[in-house]
Amino acid sequence: MRSYPQNSPQAAARIVALVLISDGHVCKSEIDALNHLQIESELGLPPGGFAPVVQTLCEDLLLSTGSLGGVDESTLASLLAEVDAPALRLTVLRLADAAIVADRHLSEGEAQVMTALHHHWVLNDPAPALQAA
């Protein structure tokens, strides 16, 4: 799996993309929800920049695991570690949540990725909560 610079738009977009494909397919309603929230602008991607991140993620998954079935815990932790800026994490969580609720169905894969996001980012990093206080 390729790596992106720390807190780069691509690193953040890849996490949203992982949530998007975690149920095995991408619904139009999910894409529409992300477009409505202006995902590319929100993450600092150029116009049309989200689709290549999704494609690259799919290619990396196929090369490393032979399927789009997801990533192991170690790989997931590495991907999540590429985003450590509290504000960017909140943006990723907001976008990921919007994608999940867009089709009104929470799949097991989506739940697993979101649980990992909360475990690695929210539960293990109390700093954002302390800074907001």
Side-chain angles (χ1 to χ4, degrees):
M1 184 84 51
R2 71 194 76 201
S3 63
Y4 290 115
Q6 194 73 22
N7 297 314
S8 67
Q10 294 79 11
R14 176 169 52 190
I15 296 167
V16 177
L18 185 60
V19 170
L20 200 63
I21 68 167
S22 65
D23 63 357
H25 66 283
V26 178
C27 294
K28 182 181 181 325
S29 60
E30 294 169 334
I31 296 296
D32 289 346
L34 292 174
N35 286 336
H36 177 74
L37 293 173
Q38 302 177 343
I39 184 171
E40 293 162 344
S41 176
E42 283 289 307
L43 296 178
L45 292 166
F50 182 61
V53 172
V54 176
Q55 180 176 344
T56 300
L57 172 63
C58 292
E59 291 168 357
D60 286 350
L61 286 171
L62 287 172
L63 287 173
S64 65
T65 67
S67 77
L68 295 177
V71 297
D72 60 55
E73 186 62 33
S74 171
T75 302
L76 183 56
S78 293
L79 298 179
L80 297 179
E82 288 184 349
V83 176
D84 63 5
L88 185 55
R89 284 180 171 182
L90 289 174
T91 299
V92 168
L93 285 167
R94 183 174 52 82
L95 292 167
D97 186 60
I100 287 172
V101 301
D103 66 358
R104 298 181 180 156
H105 172 72
L106 177 63
S107 73
E108 184 178 331
E110 291 168 335
Q112 288 174 344
V113 175
M114 289 302 283
T115 297
L117 283 169
H118 285 276
H119 174 74
H120 287 278
W121 286 358
V122 179
L123 298 177
N124 289 337
D125 187 4
L130 294 176
Q131 290 173 356

